[in-house]
Amino acid sequence: MKNLAQSNYANALKTVKSLKQKFGDSWKTITPENAARMISQNRFKTGLDIAKHTAAIMRKDMADYDLNASNYTQSLGCWHGFVAQQKMIAVKKHHKTTSKRYLYLSGWMVAALRSEFGPLPDQSMHEKTAVPSLISEIYDFLKQADAIALNDLYRRLENGEKVQAEIDNFETHIVPIIADIDAGFGNEEATYLLAKKMIEAGACAIQIENQVSDAKQCGHQDGKVTVPHEDFIAKLNAIRYAFLELGVDDGIIVARTDSEGAGLTQKLPVSQEPGDLASQYLAFVEAEPINIKDAKEDDVLLKRDGKLVRPVRLANGLYKFKEGSNIDRVVLDCITSLQNGADLLWIETPTPNVKQIAHMVNRVKEVVPTAKLVYNNSPSFNWTLNFRQQVYEEMRKEGLDIMHYDFKNLMDAKYDDSNLSKRADEKIRTFQLDAAREAGVFHHLITLPTYHTTALHMNDLTEGYFGEEGMLAYVKGVQRQEIRKGVACVKHQRMAGSDLGDDHKTFFAGDKALKAGGEKNTSNQFDNVTNNESKKAKAKVVALAS
């Protein structure tokens, strides 16, 4: 995106000058340079502009991954615009580019943190409007991050600093968001209507799961009920039509299957001919042979291999799948979704095991070679325990001494510095690269990271602040760390847009503007220290790079 900001500025300046000439004296107080600066600081005027821009990014990234699996992408789940903003500011600061870094919007976190009903479980009970509202909020905060950063650069330019190249090559904080539509919040028309709102808010990628809408469960909980393929395809179509109607021609659909952990179905589809999708789905349903004479009144019966069978039906009317059919159902779900408009897959798994993921994905690739996965690096997994157990088994097979490890108590802190633990931690560190290379994972995400970091940080701060440390707990654990690590939010007034607002007031009112950033603004106490720490951080990055 070279020369993006400057080209926007130049074009805007030309346009405003022309308009000013057209409208004459009535526009005499409008300064073209100020207007052009504001226009260049707000490149994306609508959510659809964002969706089109980010869809193109995501499509390019998918093509890059097909060429080299090391080009996988990542995201963290964000439940508030401020969280997303600080994440992308940190990405740019630490990694110098937003390339291959996305955002994830988790339905779980919307339910738990954004519903007007209060905290809810992940069962599609929250207001569907909360989802597009959060997407819009996230992009408002990211656009503000652009405006603040560019405004700072323009200020420095006016003060004589040589920052024109930074302005010309400015990289936006706007990145793709993969947004969770749960099971579609109703029938296919409801899915279409909600998808439109999400796309209009800026979503370029929508993730939908094959559960029953009114019986939806978190993918890591029991009691999941899936729908026949025909029902799911209708919802995939609904989302595609929504993208096309709104002009986002390359929008991305992520089809999630919960069949690995789901043992129930609500409907028995109607088969039109042997071997069709409905027939394949019905073949997974558990059934018992029955003689027509033994059939009860109102029994549901199927003809299977020339014989009558009775599907196993629970008291609530749901039907059971055969034990051990889950992996075959996952594979069929994935293939069917890709053959009916989905772009990416999502497979919920019980544990983070590369070999188990690869086993399923490679079967899908036998039919659709370009199959790619979005994978949930879920906090629902006990990562430490899972990988210590995996390494324990590896060490056992290698004939290494494992007698001093208690397999049932591998989480014990006494093992933290052991060889087993170090091997496990290394497998965790390389998990994303390994899964990208071996199991077709294009995108790695953590659904609920900031839910847990907020709880952890409040636990730590509360312990000290309400204890003997008092105010020192905040100063040492928060503010001093912000200063030392160059976290821009230490100047929270600036981060909320105070400096940006001062410049706008000057544009609007000139010398009469009442500004907040004068000598008595206490944020000035951070000016020198934050600048010094920022220079140290930049020097450290340069040293590491060299």
Side-chain angles (χ1 to χ4, degrees):
M1 299 298 175
K2 298 292 184 182
N3 302 315
L4 177 63
Q6 183 60 17
S7 64
N8 278 2
Y9 179 88
N11 291 336
L13 183 63
K14 183 178 179 180
T15 298
V16 177
K17 283 182 176 179
S18 177
L19 287 169
K20 186 169 181 178
Q21 186 175 18
K22 175 182 177 180
F23 289 101
D25 287 346
S26 65
W27 280 38
K28 62 178 179 293
T29 56
I30 299 298
T31 304
E33 290 75 13
N34 292 343
R37 177 168 150 183
M38 294 176 72
I39 292 168
S40 69
Q41 288 172 196
N42 181 19
R43 176 187 172 191
F44 302 97
K45 313 307 180 190
T46 70
L48 286 178
D49 292 336
I50 292 171
K52 292 174 183 178
H53 171 75
T54 53
I57 290 174
M58 209 165 161
R59 289 287 179 180
K60 180 181 182 301
D61 288 347
M62 289 162 68
D64 288 346
Y65 175 82
D66 286 339
L67 294 174
N68 186 338
S70 66
N71 292 321
Y72 64 90
T73 57
Q74 299 168 291
S75 67
L76 295 172
C78 300
W79 55 273
H80 193 280
F82 177 73
V83 175
Q85 179 194 66
Q86 293 306 300
K87 170 193 160 183
M88 295 318 303
I89 288 173
V91 163
K92 288 189 69 172
K93 182 178 77 171
H94 294 296
H95 305 287
K96 306 307 172 190
T97 179
T98 62
S99 178
K100 306 291 190 291
R101 280 91 178 190
Y102 300 171
L103 295 162
Y104 179 66
L105 184 152
S106 161
W108 194 102
M109 284 211 284
V110 173
L113 299 168
R114 303 285 301 202
S115 173
E116 292 183 11
F117 292 107
L120 296 171
D122 183 21
Q123 296 172 4
S124 287
M125 295 190 291
H126 55 280
E127 308 87 342
K128 62 177 71 176
T129 54
V131 182
S133 293
L134 178 54
I135 296 169
S136 180
E137 175 184 290
I138 284 172
Y139 281 125
D140 281 345
F141 272 82
L142 295 183
K143 288 195 292 183
Q144 185 200 47
D146 277 0
I148 290 171
L150 279 166
N151 195 64
D152 287 349
L153 288 171
Y154 280 120
R155 278 187 168 193
R156 291 168 61 191
L157 187 68
E158 290 173 352
N159 290 334
E161 293 188 49
K162 296 181 179 180
V163 294
Q164 187 62 59
E166 292 184 55
I167 295 174
D168 292 348
N169 299 304
F170 182 80
E171 184 181 43
T172 178
H173 295 83
I174 300 292
V175 296
I177 188 168
I178 298 175
D180 186 359
I181 199 172
D182 279 18
F185 284 89
N187 61 25
E188 54 268 35
E189 174 69 3
T191 301
Y192 153 77
L193 293 171
L194 179 54
K196 278 182 61 177
K197 290 297 183 183
M198 293 167 68
I199 298 162
E200 287 170 340
C204 73
I206 294 178
Q207 165 219 330
I208 185 166
E209 62 206 54
N210 68 335
Q211 291 191 47
V212 176
S213 288
D214 59 358
K216 183 261 189 304
Q217 295 278 16
C218 172
H220 293 276
Q221 292 182 324
D222 204 357
K224 294 182 289 294
V225 185
T226 61
V227 298
H229 296 102
E230 293 86 350
D231 291 17
F232 192 56
I233 290 170
K235 292 192 174 184
L236 296 180
N237 289 338
I239 296 171
R240 181 62 65 203
Y241 276 109
F243 273 125
L244 292 173
E245 178 183 337
L246 296 172
V248 185
D249 300 342
D250 50 0
I252 290 96
I253 300 175
V254 182
R256 170 176 141 183
T257 173
D258 282 286
S259 289
E260 199 285 335
L264 301 169
T265 185
Q266 190 179 58
K267 292 170 63 175
L268 298 179
V270 178
S271 175
Q272 302 297 331
E273 58 185 56
D276 62 12
L277 270 179
S279 176
Q280 293 178 69
Y281 192 81
L282 289 168
F284 292 125
V285 175
E286 184 177 333
E288 53 194 10
I290 187 172
N291 190 300
I292 190 64
K293 296 178 181 179
D294 299 323
K296 298 177 182 178
E297 196 71 20
D298 298 322
D299 257 352
V300 174
L301 305 179
L302 294 173
K303 183 179 179 181
R304 181 177 288 174
D305 298 326
K307 299 177 182 178
L308 279 181
V309 295
R310 177 168 54 196
V312 175
R313 198 176 190 185
L314 305 183
N316 55 17
L318 299 174
Y319 297 93
K320 287 184 65 178
F321 286 116
K322 295 176 184 176
E323 289 293 330
S325 68
N326 55 334
I327 302 304
D328 289 337
R329 285 186 281 121
V330 165
V331 173
L332 181 60
D333 291 346
C334 291
I335 292 171
T336 302
S337 293
L338 291 174
Q339 291 176 336
N340 289 274
D343 302 290
L344 295 169
L345 302 170
W346 175 313
I347 300 174
E348 284 287 10
T349 66
T351 60
N353 188 303
V354 172
K355 291 181 180 178
Q356 291 175 359
I357 303 166
H359 172 68
M360 292 182 282
V361 174
N362 288 336
R363 286 182 60 188
V364 176
K365 284 188 171 185
E366 291 175 3
V367 180
V368 186
T370 57
K372 290 180 282 294
L373 202 65
V374 171
Y375 188 72
N376 177 9
N377 293 221
S378 176
S380 292
F381 302 140
N382 185 331
W383 286 77
T384 302
L385 181 60
N386 270 291
F387 279 85
R388 288 184 182 182
Q389 289 174 339
Q390 289 178 37
V391 170
Y392 182 94
E393 288 301 319
E394 289 178 2
M395 292 175 68
R396 183 183 62 79
K397 291 178 181 178
E398 293 167 12
L400 299 176
D401 180 17
I402 54 173
M403 294 298 293
H404 54 290
Y405 295 112
D406 179 1
F407 183 79
K408 295 181 179 180
N409 198 29
L410 289 176
M411 273 298 296
D412 197 310
K414 69 182 180 182
Y415 297 134
D416 285 355
D417 293 322
S418 67
N419 180 49
L420 181 146
S421 175
K422 291 175 182 177
R423 282 184 59 168
D425 283 353
E426 179 61 14
K427 285 175 72 71
I428 294 171
R429 187 186 71 81
T430 64
F431 172 80
Q432 294 190 341
L433 178 59
D434 294 341
R437 182 182 61 250
E438 300 172 26
V441 177
F442 158 73
H443 185 77
H444 282 281
L445 61 89
I446 306 177
T447 45
L448 320 175
T450 49
Y451 182 89
H452 291 279
T453 54
T454 300
L456 176 63
H457 293 160
M458 287 310 300
N459 173 78
D460 295 348
L461 176 59
T462 299
E463 180 183 19
Y465 180 74
F466 292 102
E468 294 183 0
E469 282 190 302
M471 190 58 193
L472 180 60
Y474 174 79
V475 173
K476 185 172 68 173
V478 180
Q479 189 179 80
R480 194 175 296 166
Q481 295 302 313
E482 289 179 305
I483 294 171
R484 297 284 185 262
K485 295 178 180 179
V487 177
C489 205
V490 70
K491 295 178 70 173
H492 50 261
Q493 308 284 15
R494 169 192 168 277
M495 198 74 260
S498 182
D499 291 355
L500 179 66
D502 275 359
D503 284 357
H504 288 173
K505 291 175 188 176
T506 303
F507 297 166
F508 307 152
D511 293 339
K512 297 177 182 178
L514 183 63
K515 297 188 286 187
E519 293 182 4
K520 295 184 179 180
N521 188 322
T522 56
S523 289
N524 297 336
Q525 298 171 28
F526 298 99
D527 282 347
N528 291 331
V529 291
T530 52
N531 288 338
N532 289 337
E533 293 302 328
S534 179
K535 290 177 182 177
K536 289 179 184 177
K538 287 182 179 179
K540 183 178 180 181
V541 170
V542 171
L544 289 172
S546 60

